[in-house]
């Protein structure tokens, strides 16, 4: 929207500048800009095209940076999903040459939270001892203390994205709707991660099984 005004502002300046250079094609070009709507519209289209190009470059750079930062939190080589996996399958994976250790994470998808009126994409049931060895997040408090406290009650650690989105604070009680009924969890901490687009939370492995 500002391009036509910028052209009107700069044209007289370039016109005076090019008068010092005889037979300069720039003088003809500047004079053609005066009142020529067609050329001005072409310049506007050029600016729009360049803006779209910069937008795409910035988005691509942002996605690349975020994905890279997400995997920096990982402390393992291979991540895989298997439907209806169990301990027997995990023990078989350990027999594969080159596999030194494995860790299976329990998760519930699209769990409805009454207070939010929306779903949490992934609710992870974590082992307080093994989880820090595989994912090194930035927590609101000492990670060992927070994960230890997950087993001392029906507690939950929320992603900071959910904290900001739903204005949650420490000590808040959230009600989760499972197939077997509703269960309440107390918020004891928060963590930074773009895993699952930030729409995730941690509970104890034992509580998620129950």
């Amino acid at each position: 929207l500002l391009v036509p005004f910028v052209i009107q502002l700069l044209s007289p300046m370039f016109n005076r500048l090019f008068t010092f250079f005889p037979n300069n094609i720039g003088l003809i070009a500047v004079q053609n800009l005066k009142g020529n709507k067609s050329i001005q519209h072409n310049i506007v289209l050029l600016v729009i095209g360049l803006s779209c190009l910069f937008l795409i470059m910035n988005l691509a750079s942002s996605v690349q940076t975020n994905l890279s930062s997400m995997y920096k939190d990982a402390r393992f080589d291979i991540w895989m999903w298997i439907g209806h996996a169990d301990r027997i399958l995990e023990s078989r994976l350990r027999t594969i040459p080159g596999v030194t250790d494995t860790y299976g994470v329990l998760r519930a998808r699209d769990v409805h939270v009454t207070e939010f009126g929306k779903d949490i994409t992934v609710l992870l049931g974590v082992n307080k001892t093994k989880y820090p060895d595989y994912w090194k997040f930035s927590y609101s408090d000492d990670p060992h203390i927070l994960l230890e406290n997950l087993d001392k009650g029906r507690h939950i650690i929320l992603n900071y994205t959910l904290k900001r989105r739903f204005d949650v604070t420490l000590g808040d009680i959230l009600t989760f709707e499972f197939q077997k009924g509703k269960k309440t969890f107390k918020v004891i901490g928060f963590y930074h991660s773009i895993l699952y687009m930030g729409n995730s939370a941690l509970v104890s492995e034992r509580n998620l099984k129950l």
Side-chain angles (χ1 to χ4, degrees):
L1 296 176
L2 293 176
V3 169
F5 300 102
V6 173
I7 292 174
Q8 292 178 16
L9 178 66
L10 295 181
S11 292
M13 297 172 54
F14 281 105
N15 190 41
R16 288 194 294 270
L17 176 64
F18 287 133
T19 55
F20 295 103
F21 303 95
N23 301 322
N24 193 303
I25 196 172
L27 182 60
I28 300 175
V30 172
Q31 290 175 348
N32 284 336
L33 285 175
K34 295 178 181 178
N36 193 324
K37 296 294 184 181
S38 177
I39 294 180
Q40 290 184 14
H41 289 163
N42 287 336
I43 296 175
V44 169
L45 290 174
L46 179 62
V47 170
I48 291 173
L50 290 173
S51 300
C52 291
L53 181 61
F54 281 121
L55 174 64
I56 293 170
M57 291 174 63
N58 280 323
L59 286 174
S61 176
S62 177
V63 170
Q64 181 181 5
T65 301
N66 282 319
L67 284 176
S68 299
S69 65
M70 182 184 79
Y71 288 109
K72 286 180 182 177
D73 294 332
R75 295 295 181 268
F76 53 89
D77 298 314
I78 298 176
W79 187 13
M80 59 190 293
W81 293 267
I82 301 175
H84 306 291
D86 54 23
R87 297 300 180 190
I88 297 175
L89 176 61
E90 188 178 1
S91 64
R92 289 177 179 173
L93 291 174
R94 288 198 179 104
T95 64
I96 298 174
V99 175
T100 56
D101 194 18
T102 62
Y103 172 48
V105 182
L106 296 175
R107 65 175 184 172
R109 296 192 63 89
D110 301 321
V111 182
H112 191 74
V113 186
T114 304
E115 288 76 10
F116 296 168
K118 295 184 178 181
D119 295 348
I120 287 184
T121 301
V122 174
L123 192 61
L124 297 169
V126 302
N127 182 298
K128 62 183 180 182
T129 304
K130 298 198 70 173
Y131 197 72
D133 294 335
Y134 285 80
W135 286 103
K136 188 177 182 181
F137 298 137
S138 175
Y139 294 87
S140 58
D141 202 345
D142 187 293
H144 297 289
I145 295 176
L146 285 178
L147 294 174
E148 184 77 28
N149 288 336
L150 282 180
D151 273 332
K152 295 182 179 179
R154 201 178 290 128
H155 297 154
I156 187 170
I157 304 173
L158 282 181
N159 193 297
Y160 270 105
T161 300
L162 293 177
K163 177 188 186 310
R164 291 188 294 268
R165 185 181 302 168
F166 301 113
D167 193 25
V168 180
T169 58
L170 289 175
D172 285 357
I173 303 298
L174 303 179
T175 306
F176 290 81
E177 299 180 13
F178 298 100
Q179 292 181 353
K180 295 183 179 180
K182 296 182 178 181
K183 298 293 182 181
T184 57
F185 285 79
K186 180 180 179 181
V187 179
I188 62 169
F190 307 96
Y191 69 99
H192 285 288
S193 175
I194 65 165
L195 193 64
Y196 305 108
M197 302 302 293
N199 197 339
S200 61
L202 309 178
V203 298
S204 76
E205 189 177 63
R206 180 177 62 86
N207 279 331
L208 192 58
K209 284 181 179 179
L210 292 174

